[in-house]
Amino acid sequence: QVQLVESGGGLLQPGGSLTLSCAASGNIFPIIDMAWYRQTPGKERELVASIDRAGVINYADSVKGRFTISRDNAKNTVLLQMNSLKPEDTAVYYCNAHLYTSASNFGSFWGQGTQVTVSS
């Protein structure tokens, strides 16, 4: 059993900053990559940022220069530091991890989501 637990969402004004945290626990062999996605009503879930075990990072164009993803391999955690937040960043943010649960079993796992609302 693998669990991803997110925290850090909230309501804030445009221009503000927020840090999301995600911790993975359970039967975890190496985590290959971790990522943050977001989704708004009526739209598909979109990738915000990802980071693999070697530290290679990808960002959506819409968040480059404003968001920073980081991870702690020893603690199986991933953070998303969000600065200069805009109303269009409002969404439910989901943590995702691709990992092995045994030597031969590989899967994709999701957190429950955390709401981020940017509004004046």
Side-chain angles (χ1 to χ4, degrees):
Q1 192 82 5
V2 174
Q3 281 192 318
L4 299 181
V5 178
E6 301 125 335
S7 61
L11 170 65
L12 66 165
Q13 294 186 342
S17 297
L18 198 64
T19 299
L20 304 182
S21 177
C22 173
S25 62
N27 295 329
I28 297 173
F29 278 63
I31 297 177
I32 304 304
D33 60 65
M34 301 187 80
W36 288 95
Y37 287 73
R38 65 187 181 188
Q39 189 170 25
T40 55
K43 293 188 177 181
E44 291 188 358
R45 195 170 294 186
E46 65 172 359
L47 176 68
V48 176
S50 67
I51 182 169
D52 70 11
R53 193 167 180 84
V56 178
I57 292 172
N58 288 298
Y59 293 105
D61 288 343
S62 60
V63 306
K64 283 180 180 177
R66 300 188 297 122
F67 291 11
T68 302
I69 190 171
S70 60
R71 65 183 282 183
D72 185 328
N73 289 335
K75 297 181 178 179
N76 293 329
T77 58
V78 62
L79 301 179
L80 184 68
Q81 172 68 43
M82 304 185 292
N83 298 323
S84 302
L85 281 160
K86 305 175 181 179
E88 51 264 43
D89 294 318
T90 296
V92 178
Y93 284 71
Y94 295 91
C95 177
N96 172 264
H98 292 95
L99 57 92
Y100 286 88
T101 57
S102 70
S104 57
N105 291 327
F106 180 80
S108 178
F109 297 87
W110 293 90
Q112 78 284 359
T114 185
Q115 177 71 46
V116 173
T117 302
V118 184
S119 175
S120 55

